[in-house]
Amino acid sequence: MAVTREVVDHIAELAKLGLSDEERDRVTWELNNILAYIDEIMAVDTHGVEPLHHVLDMTNVFRDDVPGPCLPREEALKNAPDRTEEYFRVPRVIK
Amino acid sequence: MTLKIPPHQHLKNHPEELPSAVETCLQAIEQAKPLNAFVHLLADRARHKAVEVAQATGQGEELPLRGMILAVKDNIAIEGTSLSCASRILKDFKSLFTATAVARLEKAGAIIIGKTNLDEFAMGSSCENTIFGPTHHPLDWERVPGGSSGGSAVAVAAGLVHAALGSDTGGSVRQPAAFCGVVGLKPTYGRVSRYGLVAFGSSLDQIAPFATNCQDAFAVLCIMGGKDEHDSTSAAYPMSYPTEGLKPLGEKLRIGLPKEYLEEGLQAEIAEVVLQVARGLEKAGHDLVEISLPYSKLAVGVYYILATAEASSNLARYDGARYGFREHSAESLQDIYTHSRAGGFGREVRRRIMLGTYVLSAGYYDAYYKKAQRVRRLVLGDFLDAFGKVDVILAPTTPTTAFKIGEKIDDPLAMYLSDVYTTPANLAGIPAVSVPAGKDTKRLPIGVQIMGPHFSDELILQVGCDIERLHGRI
């Protein structure tokens, strides 16, 4: 399952990472290297073995749907890279 | 290892000395600045807290950790202070709330002195992948302290604090603990709330303590652990800190030695120390049993599929829109995403996001991600079988002692393999502690690892205490 440069371009788009051409080439090489190591896992017989999602014996953890205090708007906007009085600001999306 | 501040037991009985101990601590940190262990000091906050704790004791309040000064890895939230994760993307971020673990420690009288260096978003094994520059090994400045929680390990090893918090996703506390010659405990998954720990691999992450001895690690664990309504994966397992602390082992144990952990790839001096410890424990009356954990050799591969998959999802929130670094030259929202993320994340983080996105992408999900989850169950199954025959498992923590700065930074796979003995415990969710037990010919510390069944954190620390007694502290 060799990773091609085209696959890397696709993955970078999915991950929203604007990588340079040089880094895409390097990552292609690195991913193939890492996946070659990981390939020994593919050879393991896992017939009848259920995927393990969570190590402890717990399934859904429910709580009562009771409203609690939430972050005040001014707090939530404190770390914003750009904002208006009340909102996060980003470039216009619908032109 | 010389403690540069008064012992916490002394400060517990002399709380009036706490404010001056905080000043001593800040001076010691200043003198040790070239180590680059701390990235942000909480000086005024600590001073204020010291006065508060000193006065509160006058009113007879119960403060089990009174006198303990701690450092906290800069991926654990403390309200109003830095939470950089050693990343450009969070460089100027200020946390809006405090992690449950930290809040509980402070409520018990502990004082947090500052935030420590790490590999960006806890991704790394050397504390080199950081916007703050590498942290140095306290015994040999040309070497790494291990990672990702390298700053916290060094803060304890250099005697600057009594204990410290790190996070352990694949060995990020035990590996630097072994490299630096301190105790590092990865608790059972779910034992400590992850609320306020910046998410990396959510099914693996645990906040984890460093200390100079198992007794102190136990105190920190007991106080910060337990169910938390803010983390639904925290376990409803009863947790209390007994006033007498960690009791000595009262029973004879069956101690497993996994043969796969002592084979090729392990530095000979480390193998020798593990066997020395095993013989010492046998002399003390315990039984040694050879066991087999055949799937552990696949753990690093399974780990790097699952941890990167979870990371690629967890790190999707850093989009330059609501907080964190934004590439302001970007003209569209799409460009803000792609340019802020490319410019905000460092090379190793970008690499792991790429790998994680790949193993989760259409066509590869079943082949890699699902497959790795199945093999994860086999890794856990090995341990469950073993714990039918033995009470605890003794193993090396790391394949080598501390390596040189720069030695592995351009070879990701070699770096990943420094976690070969630590990732199995994360995959299985079991507790594991690294305890210093010797030195190699270069006088670099060697750690041994004790692993136990789920929720046997106390038991493995008791074994750790025995090892400390057998070998004397470094």
Side-chain angles (χ1 to χ4, degrees):
Chain A
M1 279 191 244
V3 180
T4 60
R5 171 61 197 265
E6 287 66 41
V7 170
V8 165
D9 289 342
H10 174 60
I11 299 298
E13 170 56 30
L14 288 177
K16 295 273 175 272
L17 278 174
L19 306 181
S20 66
D21 268 353
E22 187 199 347
E23 181 160 4
R24 282 165 200 253
D25 288 340
R26 196 179 58 230
V27 164
T28 307
W29 185 80
E30 285 169 351
L31 287 192
N32 278 305
N33 231 356
I34 295 167
L35 290 169
Y37 173 76
I38 284 171
D39 254 357
E40 62 177 333
I41 292 163
M42 304 308 127
V44 178
D45 180 7
T46 52
H47 189 74
V49 180
E50 282 299 305
L52 178 66
H53 304 289
H54 195 267
V55 289
L56 299 181
D57 187 21
M58 51 163 74
T59 47
N60 292 325
V61 179
F62 294 113
R63 62 166 173 82
D64 293 333
D65 188 15
V66 183
C70 66
L71 211 54
R73 187 196 300 261
E74 197 41 48
E75 284 285 298
L77 287 165
K78 253 185 183 169
N79 285 296
D82 193 8
R83 56 174 286 189
T84 66
E85 194 69 15
E86 295 183 302
Y87 298 102
F88 298 105
R89 183 176 8 222
V90 294
R92 182 183 293 275
V93 176
I94 301 162
K95 305 238 157 128
Chain B
M1 181 164 49
T2 326
L3 193 59
K4 309 282 198 307
I5 50 177
H8 64 85
Q9 295 88 346
H10 173 84
L11 293 171
K12 186 168 192 167
N13 298 324
H14 302 274
E16 70 283 359
E17 291 178 29
L18 261 171
S20 85
V22 163
E23 298 308 324
T24 309
C25 181
L26 291 167
Q27 281 161 20
I29 292 169
E30 179 60 30
Q31 276 168 12
K33 213 169 180 179
L35 289 173
N36 204 24
F38 284 84
V39 298
H40 190 75
L41 290 180
L42 307 180
D44 289 339
R45 199 172 176 284
R47 286 181 179 120
H48 179 80
K49 184 80 187 168
V51 171
E52 201 180 283
V53 174
Q55 287 170 352
T57 51
Q59 295 148 20
E61 281 185 36
E62 185 58 39
L63 297 168
L65 291 188
R66 178 175 78 197
M68 207 182 255
I69 301 177
L70 285 100
V72 173
K73 186 179 184 179
D74 205 19
N75 65 345
I76 299 172
I78 299 179
E79 188 180 349
T81 73
S82 156
L83 185 64
S84 71
C85 296
S87 180
R88 187 180 182 209
I89 215 156
L90 285 178
K91 191 170 131 302
D92 301 314
F93 184 84
K94 295 277 181 290
S95 184
L96 301 174
F97 62 91
T98 298
T100 300
V102 172
R104 287 180 180 172
L105 293 172
E106 289 194 314
K107 190 163 170 271
I111 292 167
I112 313 295
I113 199 77
K115 306 295 292 286
T116 56
N117 204 2
L118 66 152
D119 286 298
E120 185 178 358
F121 283 101
M123 297 181 189
S125 308
S126 64
C127 217
E128 292 170 286
N129 304 323
T130 145
I131 53 162
F132 302 109
T135 296
H136 298 268
H137 194 289
L139 298 175
D140 180 346
W141 288 27
E142 288 181 6
R143 291 182 188 270
V144 304
S148 64
S149 317
S152 284
V154 170
V156 174
L160 306 174
V161 291
H162 298 118
L165 296 187
S167 62
D168 192 316
T169 305
S172 279
V173 161
R174 286 162 289 155
Q175 187 252 23
F179 277 12
C180 293
V182 298
V183 170
L185 167 75
K186 185 204 86 75
T188 302
Y189 182 83
R191 195 97 201 227
V192 181
S193 166
R194 292 182 293 111
Y195 182 69
L197 169 65
V198 175
F200 162 15
S202 306
S203 80
L204 305 154
D205 294 338
Q206 271 292 281
I207 292 179
F210 291 96
T212 57
N213 58 73
C214 290
Q215 191 65 254
D216 288 354
F218 179 65
V220 173
L221 171 73
C222 290
I223 300 295
M224 72 176 170
K227 184 77 187 161
D228 173 22
E229 60 168 20
H230 294 303
D231 174 8
S232 61
T233 63
S234 63
Y237 193 87
M239 200 94 179
S240 65
Y241 180 51
T243 44
E244 73 276 20
L246 194 59
K247 288 188 284 292
L249 266 178
E251 53 191 321
K252 194 175 90 166
L253 298 180
R254 296 162 301 168
I255 297 172
L257 275 174
K259 58 179 188 201
E260 292 84 0
Y261 287 61
L262 296 163
E263 287 169 352
E264 53 177 322
L266 177 62
Q267 189 176 320
E269 295 149 303
I270 298 179
E272 187 45 44
V273 164
V274 172
L275 295 174
Q276 263 174 27
V277 168
R279 286 192 291 267
L281 290 169
E282 193 178 31
K283 254 190 207 151
H286 304 295
D287 287 332
L288 293 183
V289 183
E290 190 188 85
I291 58 165
S292 176
L293 300 166
Y295 288 109
S296 278
K297 67 173 185 293
L298 301 172
V300 169
V302 173
Y303 172 81
Y304 276 93
I305 294 173
L306 297 179
T308 59
E310 293 183 19
S312 74
S313 168
N314 276 325
L315 271 58
R317 72 191 68 175
Y318 304 102
D319 57 9
R322 294 153 299 144
Y323 53 84
F325 168 75
R326 176 185 292 190
E327 182 53 68
H328 282 286
S329 66
E331 284 174 5
S332 69
L333 184 58
Q334 285 297 320
D335 283 355
I336 283 186
Y337 295 158
T338 54
H339 296 163
S340 301
R341 287 166 63 76
F345 292 131
R347 189 196 278 192
E348 177 62 22
V349 174
R350 297 197 297 267
R351 182 188 290 137
R352 293 202 196 189
I353 290 174
M354 290 294 286
L355 178 59
T357 306
Y358 176 75
V359 300
L360 286 177
S361 64
Y364 303 102
Y365 178 83
D366 284 329
Y368 285 110
Y369 184 67
K370 265 261 173 81
K371 183 80 180 182
Q373 285 189 317
R374 292 182 206 279
V375 180
R376 182 178 186 182
R377 186 175 295 281
L378 296 174
V379 173
L380 170 64
D382 266 0
F383 282 105
L384 296 180
D385 287 349
F387 291 129
K389 301 182 203 99
V390 299
D391 301 299
V392 296
I393 294 170
L394 175 68
T397 307
T398 57
T400 66
T401 50
F403 47 87
K404 288 246 168 83
I405 289 176
E407 191 178 324
K408 299 188 182 186
I409 198 72
D410 291 320
D411 186 351
L413 200 52
M415 189 72 89
Y416 297 172
L417 287 170
S418 38
D419 299 332
V420 63
Y421 302 125
T422 46
T423 48
N426 299 85
L427 293 175
I430 58 172
V433 60
S434 179
V435 182
K439 290 199 170 181
D440 71 3
T441 48
K442 297 193 194 76
R443 304 297 298 154
L444 293 169
I446 291 172
V448 297
Q449 185 178 205
I450 307 130
M451 297 178 267
H454 291 135
F455 300 107
S456 69
D457 309 58
E458 183 169 354
L459 177 68
I460 61 169
L461 286 169
Q462 286 174 313
V463 177
C465 272
D466 267 19
I467 295 173
E468 287 168 355
R469 263 193 296 274
L470 281 170
H471 292 267
R473 282 206 260 111
I474 295 173

